[in-house]
Amino acid sequence: MSTIENNFKRIQNQIHQCCEKNGIDYNNIKLIAVTKTRNADEINRAVQAGALDIGENKVQEIMDKHQDVLPVQWHMIGHLQTNKVKYIIDKVHMIHSLDSLKLAEEINKRAKQHHKVMDVLVQVNAAEEESKYGLTIKDSRSFIETLQRYENIHVKGLMTIAPFVENSENVRKYFRQMKQLFDDCKDLVSGNVTMQYLSMGMTNDFEVAIEEGANMIRIGTAVFGPRNY
């Protein structure tokens, strides 16, 4: 068994233990294996270990690797420019980084051309960091209300990237705020809004995220090792 396969199994065990400790159903947690800078061979080792969902930060990497990776569900988890939507609309299962009406209009248009409804998550910048994309918590609800008019977009929930800190307890408050927002938006559920996923938590803070209500986590380093820049 390769290092990647061992790492993937170890993460699964950690998630399982965290869920058991907190009375959470392990089967409700979706793990996205983040494959930024990883090659197809490395990704395939993770897939063979049980990874069903692959998350990429860049459009070009999806395009480069898509044909060489075993069957999986691809997720666009990084910032997405409107002029690049057309390249991935037929390749990805979900877009995690919807944060503007301009982008929503483009996704809706391209999805309609491909006769599909695109699953999306609304990206929220919970800590309001200048270096990150996303809506403020305050503006997110009205944004989701506006998205209800797009027939080829399916809003499946929310995504946030917490600040990187040494002590994950220091980001617990942002995860808690996100869970509150997620719950507050559930009354918006309609034809194209289901609020199914709360995506938050990465290698350094996923256990805290799960404790605060995340049911989708994005893990890269803990599966593949330190990133090759």
Side-chain angles (χ1 to χ4, degrees):
M1 188 177 289
S2 73
T3 300
I4 291 173
E5 289 171 313
N6 281 325
N7 288 347
F8 189 81
K9 298 297 184 185
R10 188 180 304 114
I11 284 295
Q12 285 183 311
N13 287 335
Q14 285 181 252
I15 297 169
H16 198 280
Q17 289 170 11
C18 180
C19 289
E20 200 168 57
K21 176 183 173 184
N22 293 280
I24 298 166
D25 186 352
Y26 169 79
N27 296 311
N28 288 339
I29 307 295
K30 183 178 283 290
L31 169 60
I32 310 293
V34 179
T35 55
K36 183 179 180 180
T37 76
R38 306 299 172 175
N39 61 43
D41 180 61
E42 292 173 300
I43 298 170
N44 283 333
R45 275 182 262 161
V47 175
Q48 288 166 343
L52 303 175
D53 296 87
I54 298 299
E56 274 292 351
N57 291 71
K58 295 183 177 181
V59 168
Q60 190 61 51
E61 290 205 50
I62 293 174
M63 294 172 66
D64 290 344
K65 303 170 190 177
H66 188 265
Q67 293 297 322
D68 298 320
V69 172
L70 294 167
V72 291
Q73 290 188 329
W74 288 84
H75 297 253
M76 177 63 197
I77 63 175
H79 177 64
L80 180 58
Q81 296 173 290
T82 54
N83 64 344
K84 293 188 177 179
V85 172
K86 60 188 175 186
Y87 299 118
I88 61 161
I89 197 71
D90 61 333
K91 297 177 178 65
V92 301
H93 172 71
M94 182 181 289
I95 294 171
H96 291 226
S97 47
L98 176 54
D99 62 355
S100 72
L101 286 180
K102 183 180 178 183
L103 181 57
E105 288 166 2
E106 182 67 13
I107 293 171
N108 189 70
K109 180 179 85 172
R110 297 296 180 180
K112 188 173 183 178
Q113 289 173 352
H114 284 267
H115 307 287
K116 70 183 290 185
V117 176
M118 190 74 240
D119 289 348
V120 301
L121 300 181
V122 170
Q123 182 170 355
V124 182
N125 187 352
E128 299 187 24
E129 293 181 275
E130 289 186 8
S131 62
K132 289 192 173 78
Y133 293 97
L135 297 138
T136 64
I137 286 178
K138 177 173 63 71
D139 293 336
S140 297
R141 181 185 167 90
S142 60
F143 180 70
I144 293 169
E145 288 176 336
T146 305
L147 295 178
Q148 291 175 322
R149 69 172 184 248
Y150 295 110
E151 295 181 353
N152 291 81
I153 287 178
H154 183 181
V155 182
K156 299 292 286 281
L158 307 174
M159 183 274 271
T160 197
I161 304 170
F164 182 83
V165 294
E166 292 297 323
N167 183 354
S168 59
E169 283 297 324
N170 292 333
V171 294
R172 187 181 291 275
K173 63 180 178 180
Y174 300 119
F175 293 149
R176 194 165 288 171
Q177 290 168 3
M178 285 295 298
K179 180 59 163 65
Q180 183 64 56
L181 174 64
F182 182 70
D183 290 341
D184 288 347
C185 288
K186 284 188 174 176
D187 68 327
L188 297 176
V189 169
S190 61
N192 76 327
V193 178
T194 55
M195 301 307 292
Q196 182 179 351
Y197 294 114
L198 179 55
S199 177
M200 56 187 192
M202 298 189 288
T203 292
N204 62 310
D205 55 19
F206 74 87
E207 289 170 309
V208 173
I210 289 173
E211 289 171 0
E212 293 300 331
N215 58 10
M216 180 182 281
I217 58 175
R218 309 177 305 275
I219 307 292
T221 303
V223 173
F224 296 98
R227 186 176 295 151
N228 302 316
Y229 288 94

